């Protein structure tokens, strides 16, 4: 008979078997790892991003000190010419020869083209033949008149002594008077023939087209074989010009200035011009005249600006920006002044001039004191040193101490 275990024996733990591992502890470690990874990813994405900026070094103005005039008004315009023409002919005709090409320099009176002159040559030869015939007839009439006058003089002496009848004397007198009138008529015919020859010579000369002034050919408007006329042919294929000629010595700038700002412009005022094709080239100019009328549709007044010195790079119809300068004494600029580009200067929220300077991949905001403009740059009196990398066109979201990546622009 089997004995029953005691109550104390039933409560004993059997350690002969391997205990089971807890699955709940392992789950907590997995959850903690996921949370840490998520937090790391969140902070990685929210970390400050480096801003890409363009920079340029602040530089020192070399040489002895200079001066800079104050700009009163900026405007835009175009290069124009006071003397240009579409060269045509005085007569209608067919182009036989063109002696110019675009870009060619010509002198005043130089032959540009020739028209077909075959018909004019024929008419000129006919007029010359008529002139020769008139001269021959005149040569025949002169001896006849001389004989008639001599006969009249002889009979006049005989008529006084009654040795000849009055009828014979009157006949001789009428003959001399007729010869004299005929000679005058022939002389008039010679004059008329000479005028006709001159007229046809002028028409022949009109078939030769010459330059009315010295200049440069900018366009070639017709070709040999085409018809040309000084007036429009109305729907046909007749050209009205041989070429366009421009006097490069008459170049100037035309600017439309708003009515509200015309009081800042006066004749003789200094102007600084900048061609769109050469933005770094500052061209000294001056105001020639203010046209005394306004455009009511555009509310502008036209201003003529002349170049102090012409240059082959200046071409008609080029776009140009002009800065009307003050004629007061310019503010002096120190010889070693620090210069920065215009687009490096920004405004703070308080309206102060500031410049962002890059140091060790971070930007610093600098309050600056600006001087006059010098050669397209601005003089910085305080706040920036030579060699500092200044940010060009700084974004409005840029903050002090922000990280940046550099890209040099000049």
């Amino acid at each position: 008979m089997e004995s029953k275990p005691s109550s104390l024996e039933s409560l004993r733990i059997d350690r002969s078997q391997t205990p089971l591992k807890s699955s709940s502890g392992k789950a907590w470690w997995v959850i903690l790892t996921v949370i840490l990874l998520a937090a790391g990813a969140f902070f990685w994405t929210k970390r400050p991003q480096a801003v890409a900026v363009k920079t340029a070094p602040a530089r020192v103005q070399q040489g002895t000190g200079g001066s800079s005039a104050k700009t009163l008004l900026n405007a835009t315009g175009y290069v124009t010419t006071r003397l240009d023409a579409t060269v045509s002919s005085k007569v209608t005709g067919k182009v036989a020869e063109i002696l110019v090409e675009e870009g060619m320099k010509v002198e005043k009176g130089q032959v540009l083209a020739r028209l077909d002159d075959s018909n004019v040559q024929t008419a000129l030869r006919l007029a010359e033949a008529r002139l020769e015939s008139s001269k021959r007839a005149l040569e025949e009439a002169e001896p006849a008149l001389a004989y008639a006058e001599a006969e009249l003089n002889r009979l006049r002496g005989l008529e006084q002594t009654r040795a000849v009848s009055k009828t014979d004397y009157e006949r001789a007198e009428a003959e001399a008077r007729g010869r004299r009138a005929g000679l005058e008529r022939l002389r008039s015919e010679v004059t008329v023939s000479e005028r006709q020859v001159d007229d046809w010579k002028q028409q022949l000369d009109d078939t030769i087209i010459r330059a009315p002034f010295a200049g440069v050919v900018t366009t070639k408007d017709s070709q040999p074989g085409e018809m040309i006329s000084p007036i429009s042919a109305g729907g046909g294929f007749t050209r009205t010009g041989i070429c366009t000629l421009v006097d490069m010595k008459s170049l100037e700038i035309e600017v439309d200035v708003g009515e509200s700002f015309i009081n800042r412009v006066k004749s003789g005022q200094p102007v600084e011009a900048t061609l769109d094709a050469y933005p770094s080239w500052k061209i000294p100019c001056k105001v020639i005249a203010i046209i005394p009328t306004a455009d009511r549709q555009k509310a502008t007044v036209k201003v003529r600006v002349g170049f102090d010195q012409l240059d082959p790079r200046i071409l008609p119809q080029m776009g140009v920006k002009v800065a009307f300068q003050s004629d007061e004494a310019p503010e002096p600029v120190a010889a070693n002044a620090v210069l920065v580009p215009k687009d490096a200067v920004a405004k703070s929220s308080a309206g102060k001039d500031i410049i962002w300077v890059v140091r060790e991949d971070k930007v610093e905001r600098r309050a600056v004191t600006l001087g006059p403009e010098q050669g397209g740059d601005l003089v910085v009196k305080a706040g920036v040193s030579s060699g500092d990398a200044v940010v060009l066109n700084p974004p409005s979201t840029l903050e002090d101490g922000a990280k940046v990546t550099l890209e040099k622009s000049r």
Side-chain angles (χ1 to χ4, degrees):
M1 184 173 182
E2 185 181 357
S3 61
K4 294 181 179 180
S6 63
S7 62
L8 184 59
E9 189 69 20
S10 63
L11 296 175
R12 182 177 297 173
I13 298 174
D14 187 3
R15 298 185 180 274
S16 60
Q17 297 181 358
T18 304
L20 297 175
K21 294 182 179 180
S22 175
S23 61
S24 60
K26 184 177 181 181
W28 278 107
W29 279 106
V30 174
I31 294 173
L32 181 59
T33 302
V34 172
I35 293 174
L36 291 175
L37 291 174
F42 174 79
F43 286 110
W44 175 262
T45 57
K46 294 299 182 181
R47 77 188 191 285
Q49 298 290 330
V51 181
V53 294
K54 293 182 179 180
T55 63
R59 58 188 181 87
V60 174
Q61 173 68 33
Q62 300 295 332
T64 59
S67 60
S68 177
K70 180 181 179 182
T71 299
L72 300 180
L73 177 66
N74 292 311
T76 59
Y78 294 92
V79 178
T80 61
T81 55
R82 296 296 296 173
L83 183 57
D84 63 85
T86 299
V87 183
S88 185
S89 66
K90 295 172 60 177
V91 296
T92 301
K94 184 171 70 173
V95 179
E97 185 181 16
I98 295 182
L99 305 175
V100 294
E101 295 291 340
E102 292 89 342
M104 181 181 294
K105 293 182 180 180
V106 298
E107 299 297 329
K108 182 178 180 179
Q110 181 175 337
V111 177
L112 305 180
R114 290 185 174 89
L115 304 183
D116 181 13
D117 60 357
S118 56
N119 293 338
V120 180
Q121 289 278 13
T122 301
L124 175 61
R125 288 194 294 270
L126 178 60
E128 290 175 341
R130 287 175 177 171
L131 174 60
E132 190 66 23
S133 176
S134 299
K135 289 180 178 180
R136 293 289 182 270
L138 180 62
E139 291 175 356
E140 292 177 1
E142 287 176 347
L145 174 61
Y147 175 80
E149 289 180 342
E151 184 69 12
L152 177 63
N153 291 332
R154 186 180 68 83
L155 293 178
R156 183 180 292 113
L158 295 175
E159 193 269 338
Q160 292 177 355
T161 60
R162 306 291 181 177
V164 66
S165 66
K166 186 175 183 180
T167 301
D168 292 339
Y169 173 75
E170 290 178 350
R171 184 182 300 109
E173 186 178 25
E175 178 71 15
R177 191 164 48 248
R179 293 287 184 180
R180 191 177 299 110
L183 185 63
E184 292 299 325
R185 178 179 59 81
L186 291 175
R187 286 174 177 169
S188 298
E189 289 181 358
V190 170
T191 302
V192 171
S193 298
E194 290 175 344
R195 297 296 180 269
Q196 288 179 343
V197 170
D198 292 340
D199 178 65
W200 285 110
K201 284 182 177 180
Q202 181 61 50
Q203 293 191 43
L204 181 64
D205 187 70
D206 289 343
T207 62
I208 303 174
I209 302 172
R210 296 179 172 87
F213 53 85
V216 177
V217 177
T218 57
T219 62
K220 182 179 177 182
D221 303 322
S222 59
Q223 299 293 337
E226 293 182 323
M227 294 296 294
I228 188 171
S229 174
I231 58 176
S232 177
F237 295 96
T238 303
R239 302 286 186 177
T240 56
I242 291 291
C243 64
T244 300
L245 189 63
V246 174
D247 181 10
M248 289 300 183
K249 296 181 181 179
S250 67
L251 293 177
E252 62 181 36
I253 301 173
E254 258 187 24
V255 183
D256 287 333
V257 177
E259 293 180 7
S260 304
F261 305 104
I262 195 62
N263 59 340
R264 303 182 187 179
V265 181
K266 62 181 180 180
S267 182
Q269 180 177 0
V271 176
E272 186 178 75
T274 305
L275 296 174
D276 293 347
Y278 305 97
S280 61
W281 180 28
K282 307 300 179 183
I283 309 172
C285 306
K286 64 181 178 181
V287 175
I288 298 176
I290 302 173
I291 307 304
T293 185
D295 188 326
R296 69 164 66 180
Q297 296 180 345
K298 297 190 294 184
T300 58
V301 177
K302 185 176 295 184
V303 177
R304 292 174 52 206
V305 177
F307 296 98
D308 288 353
Q309 186 174 359
L310 294 174
D311 190 278
R313 290 173 289 180
I314 304 173
L315 301 177
Q317 307 307 320
M318 273 187 166
V320 60
K321 296 179 177 64
V322 296
F324 294 92
Q325 309 288 332
S326 172
D327 53 4
E328 300 176 356
E331 182 179 351
V333 178
N336 296 323
V338 178
L339 302 179
V340 297
K342 286 183 182 179
D343 47 9
V345 180
K347 293 288 185 181
S348 66
S349 58
K352 302 294 184 180
D353 292 321
I354 61 171
I355 289 179
W356 296 90
V357 178
V358 178
R359 284 187 178 276
E360 298 179 355
D361 297 337
K362 292 184 180 180
V363 290
E364 296 178 3
R365 187 175 69 174
R366 303 275 187 88
V368 294
T369 303
L370 298 178
E373 183 178 338
Q374 179 76 5
D377 294 330
L378 292 175
V379 175
V380 180
K381 296 181 177 179
V384 175
S385 301
S386 175
D388 285 345
V390 297
V391 178
L392 302 179
N393 299 311
S396 58
T397 57
L398 199 60
E399 296 180 355
D400 194 12
K403 289 187 176 183
V404 293
T405 56
L406 304 182
E407 179 185 352
K408 286 193 175 183
S409 63
R410 41 167 121 171

